[in-house]
Amino acid sequence: MNQKVRTVLIAVLIFVVLGSAWLLYQKLSVPYAQTPAAQSASGGAESADAEPAADFTVYDADGKEVSLSDFAGKPVVVNFWASWCGYCKVEMPHFQKAYETYGEDIQFLMVDLSGGGSDTKEAADQVITEGGYTFPVYYDNDSSAAYAYSVRSIPLSLFLDKDGSLVSQHLGALSAEDLDALLQQIQ
């Protein structure tokens, strides 16, 4: 094979590989490119169309069992996080501010995934203490909450209305603006 044909074949191969990579990137990044408001309006992958929320049990700082159903009658935000998750730490100040603003009207459940073996209550408590956070923290010691929502990636936030229906969910770190927009949907 002469040099010119080999060069053309290599160029075509590179073009095909780069084109395939670009198409794959476009397909996989679409759900994360929309804002929560756009997702809810478009019925996108992150919108839940008000289905009943699955119940689960977690533990408060004193080790007392607390179930999601205990908060029936009030809108609820559930945020799954872990002490080792950088994106979780990025959004925590936004949740603190939201808790200070809406804490009387909306129940916040900041659920640390301490049951999967990759996090501990002590490590989570250190993050909370160092950040000066006052929102309610719960510990998923037996992974019942993670199993109930098939949590495979964090941060994951769920937004439930006062009737206990899952209105919306968001995978990934929330900006303050997006968090506020999602909170407005459940008030």
Side-chain angles (χ1 to χ4, degrees):
M1 196 180 314
N2 82 30
Q3 184 65 24
K4 191 174 187 178
V5 172
R6 185 178 300 148
T7 303
V8 169
L9 287 175
I10 291 173
V12 168
L13 182 62
I14 290 172
F15 177 76
V16 168
V17 168
L18 290 176
S20 298
W22 181 80
L23 288 173
L24 183 61
Y25 172 78
Q26 292 298 316
K27 180 175 174 61
L28 294 176
S29 66
V30 168
Y32 306 103
Q34 298 177 340
T35 65
Q39 291 164 355
S40 295
S42 68
E46 301 297 320
S47 178
D49 293 329
E51 60 190 55
D55 200 13
F56 58 79
T57 300
V58 290
Y59 302 87
D60 67 13
D62 298 324
K64 179 183 170 199
E65 287 187 359
V66 177
S67 294
L68 179 60
S69 57
D70 293 342
F71 302 104
K74 191 173 188 181
V76 178
V77 175
V78 180
N79 177 260
F80 294 102
W81 67 282
S83 64
W84 48 263
C85 171
Y87 291 114
C88 301
K89 293 177 188 178
V90 166
E91 70 178 3
M92 282 190 169
H94 307 316
F95 276 99
Q96 178 62 38
K97 184 176 179 187
Y99 173 68
E100 291 169 1
T101 302
Y102 300 105
E104 294 293 319
D105 302 317
I106 298 174
Q107 179 64 44
F108 287 77
L109 275 77
M110 303 298 286
V111 179
D112 175 64
L113 299 178
S114 53
S118 64
D119 204 7
T120 65
K121 181 181 181 304
E122 294 75 23
D125 289 345
Q126 183 176 354
V127 169
I128 297 304
T129 300
E130 287 175 0
Y133 302 122
T134 59
F135 45 63
V137 178
Y138 300 91
Y139 305 90
D140 192 14
N141 297 339
D142 55 12
S143 300
S144 75
Y147 289 135
Y149 287 93
S150 300
V151 177
R152 290 180 180 86
S153 185
I154 54 175
L156 174 65
S157 299
L158 310 174
F159 298 84
L160 288 67
D161 64 18
K162 65 182 170 111
D163 299 321
S165 294
L166 182 60
V167 173
S168 188
Q169 58 184 331
H170 183 84
L171 178 62
L174 282 161
S175 68
E177 295 79 19
D178 288 344
L179 176 58
D180 192 57
L182 288 163
L183 293 171
Q184 295 298 319
Q185 291 180 8
I186 61 172
Q187 278 194 319

